[in-house]
Amino acid sequence: LMDHVQQFLTHVQVMYRNLQSIVLNTFSESPNAIQDSSVVSGKTQSSHTAPTPMDSTDTSSSINHIKSRTVPMLRSSASFRVLTECPVTVMLLFNLYPKYIQFNIPMLIPLMMHALTLNPPLSTQAHFFRVRELVSCQVKTLSFLTYMLRAFKDLMKPYEDTIPESVVNLMKSCPDDTRKELLLATRHILATDFRKGFRRQIDRMLDEKTLIGSNRQNYETLRPLGYSALADLILHFRKDLSRPQLSRVVHIFSRIVHDASLTINIQTTSVRLLLNLVGDGIYNNKDVNPKEGKSLLLRILDSLINKFGTLQAQMSRISKDLKVQNNLASNLLNEKIGVSKIVLCSDRRKE
């Protein structure tokens, strides 16, 4: 395998280098051609292998129809699906053969970063599945690059502003099955010095549809991860937030505090964020209109007080449940003790 590692890495570089032209060619095709590309490889081939009798006029019209609608099948070197699997394979090869890292990484990083900036045309309703494949490929590429942030900081430094912009663009078009990986990569980036570029993207990330998506299943399963990533972002830039941004943050996380469908960890994180905003983001903010800051403080205070009332009701219910469980446990223990005494007495009588 070692004899073919560099050949494979070179091939991956060629695929990334040609990705822009592939995107242009793919999304410049007619909608019918994209839609029927699977027909070319499936139904059309089967019709050639097992023809059915028809008269000459029908045959000629069918042939003309096929010629007008068919396109060549995609080569593997031009497939978004194939390129999606390449970053994971490259990472595996680098772990197995570290000697190839220093030579290939300086060439891979610029190519991969350029791949993240590619966007399909706006009118892509007919190319829906191809767009999903492209975005999934970009998400996998981003996940690979996040592991390069610390080890190759100098090579990644020129893209400090490009990475956050690409992340938010991917959030807006990310397929449902890859959004979790994108959010994990985002949290990984926020844990490094490259989070500075996200300062310009705060307004876009405060849009919950951009952060979590509009899919109902994602809304239920990915909210903890999405809100945790947003909380990390806000904590880093809480001193730089404008009044409208602070108001939006207070609205989002005050609502999370009272959302019983979320875990206690997310609610606790929200409370900590709100308390951090009080000192650094609101109270010490030199604003020309202090009434707005006062309004935000009152909203936070009102949210926390209402939470205490909710906790009080929950604590009484929890204490009742604990008493019931303790009574059941003591009854079971007494029954076991009684049974053991009976068995012990019967054994002594036998002796």
Side-chain angles (χ1 to χ4, degrees), residues 69-94:
R69 291 172 62 89
T70 57
V71 293
M73 295 178 64
L74 289 177
R75 297 170 60 89
S76 60
S77 58
S79 171
F80 300 140
R81 289 187 178 182
V82 173
L83 190 57
T84 299
E85 305 301 326
C86 288
V88 178
T89 308
V90 171
M91 180 64 70
L92 175 62
L93 292 175
F94 282 162

Side-chain angles (χ1 to χ4, degrees), residues 35-261:
Q35 184 177 0
D36 294 339
S37 61
S38 60
V39 177
V40 176
S41 61
K43 296 180 181 178
T44 304
Q45 288 182 354
S46 62
S47 64
H48 284 299
T49 56
T52 56
M54 58 179 66
D55 68 344
S56 58
T57 57
D58 292 336
T59 304
S60 60
S61 63
S62 299
I63 292 175
N64 293 332
H65 179 69
I66 292 174
K67 286 182 178 179
S68 65
R69 291 172 62 89
T70 57
V71 293
M73 295 178 64
L74 289 177
R75 297 170 60 89
S76 60
S77 58
S79 171
F80 300 140
R81 289 187 178 182
V82 173
L83 190 57
T84 299
E85 305 301 326
C86 288
V88 178
T89 308
V90 171
M91 180 64 70
L92 175 62
L93 292 175
F94 282 162
N95 288 331
L96 294 175
Y97 306 100
K99 68 177 183 179
Y100 292 98
I101 295 178
Q102 295 299 329
F103 177 74
N104 289 278
I105 285 295
M107 291 182 286
L108 275 173
I109 287 179
L111 295 173
M112 288 183 167
M113 284 304 309
H114 181 66
L116 294 182
T117 63
L118 298 178
N119 293 312
L122 294 178
S123 57
T124 55
Q125 293 181 357
H127 310 89
F128 176 73
F129 293 103
R130 294 287 177 87
V131 173
R132 289 172 61 92
E133 292 174 3
L134 173 61
V135 176
S136 296
C137 172
Q138 291 174 312
V139 171
K140 292 290 185 181
T141 302
L142 177 66
S143 297
F144 176 87
L145 289 171
T146 55
Y147 292 99
M148 304 292 109
L149 294 178
R150 287 191 173 93
F152 298 92
K153 185 177 180 179
D154 294 337
L155 293 175
M156 298 294 296
K157 189 67 175 178
Y159 309 104
E160 187 174 13
D161 294 328
T162 306
I163 292 175
E165 183 177 0
S166 299
V167 168
V168 179
N169 289 337
L170 288 175
M171 285 183 178
K172 295 183 72 68
S173 57
C174 182
D176 300 332
D177 54 347
T178 57
R179 184 171 292 274
K180 181 177 180 180
E181 184 173 1
L182 177 58
L183 290 174
L184 289 172
T186 303
R187 292 201 69 184
H188 189 87
I189 297 171
L190 291 174
T192 67
D193 294 335
F194 289 86
R195 59 176 171 265
K196 297 176 182 178
F198 279 96
R199 173 65 186 86
R200 300 184 182 91
Q201 307 299 328
I202 290 179
D203 287 325
R204 299 174 69 187
M205 291 193 68
L206 286 174
D207 182 2
E208 294 178 79
K209 288 186 177 180
T210 299
L211 184 67
I212 304 172
S214 56
N215 181 273
R216 184 62 185 176
Q217 183 178 1
N218 282 351
Y219 185 78
E220 296 296 335
T221 59
L222 295 184
R223 280 190 303 162
L225 185 57
Y227 290 141
S228 296
L230 182 60
D232 292 341
L233 175 65
I234 299 303
L235 279 173
H236 288 300
F237 298 106
R238 60 185 182 274
K239 297 180 180 180
D240 303 321
L241 298 179
S242 63
R243 287 300 186 201
Q245 290 173 339
L246 285 169
S247 179
R248 180 63 180 162
V249 171
V250 171
H251 171 74
I252 292 174
F253 287 94
S254 296
R255 193 181 71 245
I256 295 173
V257 169
H258 298 282
D259 192 340
S261 64

Side-chain angles (χ1 to χ4, degrees), residues 291-308:
K291 291 183 179 180
E292 295 183 4
K294 180 180 178 180
S295 175
L296 293 176
L297 290 174
L298 290 175
R299 287 165 57 185
I300 294 175
L301 181 62
D302 182 65
S303 177
L304 297 179
I305 291 175
N306 289 334
K307 185 61 178 179
F308 280 120

Side-chain angles (χ1 to χ4, degrees), residues 264 307-323:
I264 190 64
K307 185 61 178 179
F308 280 120
T310 305
L311 289 175
Q312 184 179 5
Q314 291 179 349
M315 289 301 296
S316 61
R317 178 179 56 81
I318 292 173
S319 62
K320 291 180 180 178
D321 293 340
L322 287 176
K323 288 180 180 179

